[in-house]
PDB file of all heavy atoms in Angstrom:
ATOM      1  N   GLY A 191      13.658 -54.570  35.967  1.00  0.00           N
ATOM      2  CA  GLY A 191      12.293 -54.683  35.443  1.00  0.00           C
ATOM      3  C   GLY A 191      12.060 -56.056  34.918  1.00  0.00           C
ATOM      4  O   GLY A 191      11.070 -56.799  35.264  1.00  0.00           O
ATOM      5  N   GLU A 192      12.974 -56.517  34.108  1.00  0.00           N
ATOM      6  CA  GLU A 192      12.817 -57.931  33.463  1.00  0.00           C
ATOM      7  C   GLU A 192      12.894 -58.986  34.531  1.00  0.00           C
ATOM      8  O   GLU A 192      12.125 -59.905  34.545  1.00  0.00           O
ATOM      9  CB  GLU A 192      14.017 -58.081  32.464  1.00  0.00           C
ATOM     10  CG  GLU A 192      13.933 -59.332  31.602  1.00  0.00           C
ATOM     11  CD  GLU A 192      12.687 -59.306  30.711  1.00  0.00           C
ATOM     12  OE1 GLU A 192      12.328 -58.367  30.180  1.00  0.00           O
ATOM     13  OE2 GLU A 192      12.059 -60.426  30.631  1.00  0.00           O
ATOM     14  N   GLU A 193      13.845 -58.823  35.465  1.00  0.00           N
ATOM     15  CA  GLU A 193      13.969 -59.842  36.500  1.00  0.00           C
ATOM     16  C   GLU A 193      12.618 -59.931  37.376  1.00  0.00           C
ATOM     17  O   GLU A 193      12.210 -61.014  37.670  1.00  0.00           O
ATOM     18  CB  GLU A 193      15.137 -59.486  37.409  1.00  0.00           C
ATOM     19  CG  GLU A 193      16.526 -59.610  36.754  1.00  0.00           C
ATOM     20  CD  GLU A 193      17.658 -59.060  37.615  1.00  0.00           C
ATOM     21  OE1 GLU A 193      17.509 -58.920  38.804  1.00  0.00           O
ATOM     22  OE2 GLU A 193      18.732 -58.822  37.000  1.00  0.00           O
ATOM     23  N   LEU A 194      12.125 -58.791  37.667  1.00  0.00           N
ATOM     24  CA  LEU A 194      10.883 -58.782  38.574  1.00  0.00           C
ATOM     25  C   LEU A 194       9.734 -59.435  37.916  1.00  0.00           C
ATOM     26  O   LEU A 194       8.954 -60.091  38.625  1.00  0.00           O
ATOM     27  CB  LEU A 194      10.538 -57.326  38.918  1.00  0.00           C
ATOM     28  CG  LEU A 194      11.441 -56.716  40.009  1.00  0.00           C
ATOM     29  CD1 LEU A 194      11.306 -55.175  40.055  1.00  0.00           C
ATOM     30  CD2 LEU A 194      11.042 -57.220  41.392  1.00  0.00           C
ATOM     31  N   ILE A 195       9.613 -59.425  36.624  1.00  0.00           N
ATOM     32  CA  ILE A 195       8.498 -60.094  35.902  1.00  0.00           C
ATOM     33  C   ILE A 195       8.416 -61.585  36.317  1.00  0.00           C
ATOM     34  O   ILE A 195       7.402 -62.093  36.586  1.00  0.00           O
ATOM     35  CB  ILE A 195       8.616 -59.986  34.365  1.00  0.00           C
ATOM     36  CG1 ILE A 195       8.584 -58.568  33.961  1.00  0.00           C
ATOM     37  CG2 ILE A 195       7.627 -60.871  33.599  1.00  0.00           C
ATOM     38  CD1 ILE A 195       7.259 -57.928  33.882  1.00  0.00           C
ATOM     39  N   GLY A 196       9.609 -62.197  36.448  1.00  0.00           N
ATOM     40  CA  GLY A 196       9.694 -63.606  36.779  1.00  0.00           C
ATOM     41  C   GLY A 196       9.745 -63.856  38.284  1.00  0.00           C
ATOM     42  O   GLY A 196       9.568 -64.983  38.693  1.00  0.00           O
ATOM     43  N   GLU A 197       9.950 -62.843  39.092  1.00  0.00           N
ATOM     44  CA  GLU A 197      10.193 -62.974  40.495  1.00  0.00           C
ATOM     45  C   GLU A 197       8.953 -62.758  41.383  1.00  0.00           C
ATOM     46  O   GLU A 197       8.933 -63.240  42.507  1.00  0.00           O
ATOM     47  CB  GLU A 197      11.327 -62.099  40.989  1.00  0.00           C
ATOM     48  CG  GLU A 197      12.686 -62.505  40.476  1.00  0.00           C
ATOM     49  CD  GLU A 197      13.704 -61.390  40.624  1.00  0.00           C
ATOM     50  OE1 GLU A 197      13.390 -60.230  40.942  1.00  0.00           O
ATOM     51  OE2 GLU A 197      14.938 -61.707  40.437  1.00  0.00           O
ATOM     52  N   LEU A 198       8.017 -62.046  40.828  1.00  0.00           N
ATOM     53  CA  LEU A 198       6.883 -61.672  41.701  1.00  0.00           C
ATOM     54  C   LEU A 198       5.779 -62.694  41.748  1.00  0.00           C
ATOM     55  O   LEU A 198       5.344 -63.160  40.647  1.00  0.00           O
ATOM     56  CB  LEU A 198       6.278 -60.282  41.200  1.00  0.00           C
ATOM     57  CG  LEU A 198       7.259 -59.128  41.350  1.00  0.00           C
ATOM     58  CD1 LEU A 198       6.647 -57.862  40.669  1.00  0.00           C
ATOM     59  CD2 LEU A 198       7.573 -58.832  42.808  1.00  0.00           C
ATOM     60  N   PRO A 199       5.378 -63.065  42.904  1.00  0.00           N
ATOM     61  CA  PRO A 199       4.336 -64.121  42.937  1.00  0.00           C
ATOM     62  C   PRO A 199       2.995 -63.614  42.328  1.00  0.00           C
ATOM     63  O   PRO A 199       2.212 -64.395  41.808  1.00  0.00           O
ATOM     64  CB  PRO A 199       4.216 -64.424  44.450  1.00  0.00           C
ATOM     65  CG  PRO A 199       4.783 -63.223  45.146  1.00  0.00           C
ATOM     66  CD  PRO A 199       5.761 -62.560  44.262  1.00  0.00           C
ATOM     67  N   GLU A 200       2.707 -62.303  42.483  1.00  0.00           N
ATOM     68  CA  GLU A 200       1.415 -61.782  42.039  1.00  0.00           C
ATOM     69  C   GLU A 200       1.619 -60.393  41.473  1.00  0.00           C
ATOM     70  O   GLU A 200       2.709 -59.757  41.724  1.00  0.00           O
ATOM     71  CB  GLU A 200       0.406 -61.607  43.227  1.00  0.00           C
ATOM     72  CG  GLU A 200      -0.084 -62.998  43.757  1.00  0.00           C
ATOM     73  CD  GLU A 200      -0.858 -62.830  44.943  1.00  0.00           C
ATOM     74  OE1 GLU A 200      -0.216 -62.474  45.988  1.00  0.00           O
ATOM     75  OE2 GLU A 200      -2.126 -63.025  44.909  1.00  0.00           O
ATOM     76  N   ALA A 201       0.736 -59.869  40.721  1.00  0.00           N
ATOM     77  CA  ALA A 201       0.849 -58.529  40.157  1.00  0.00           C
ATOM     78  C   ALA A 201       1.001 -57.495  41.197  1.00  0.00           C
ATOM     79  O   ALA A 201       0.138 -57.434  42.151  1.00  0.00           O
ATOM     80  CB  ALA A 201      -0.330 -58.239  39.219  1.00  0.00           C
ATOM     81  N   PRO A 202       1.993 -56.567  41.111  1.00  0.00           N
ATOM     82  CA  PRO A 202       2.158 -55.458  42.135  1.00  0.00           C
ATOM     83  C   PRO A 202       1.064 -54.412  41.778  1.00  0.00           C
ATOM     84  O   PRO A 202       0.816 -54.123  40.623  1.00  0.00           O
ATOM     85  CB  PRO A 202       3.508 -54.991  41.922  1.00  0.00           C
ATOM     86  CG  PRO A 202       3.875 -55.332  40.492  1.00  0.00           C
ATOM     87  CD  PRO A 202       3.113 -56.566  40.141  1.00  0.00           C
TER      88      PRO A 202
END
Side-chain angles (χ1 to χ4, degrees):
E192 188 62 41
E193 291 169 20
L194 281 162
I195 298 282
E197 289 164 349
L198 295 173
E200 290 171 290

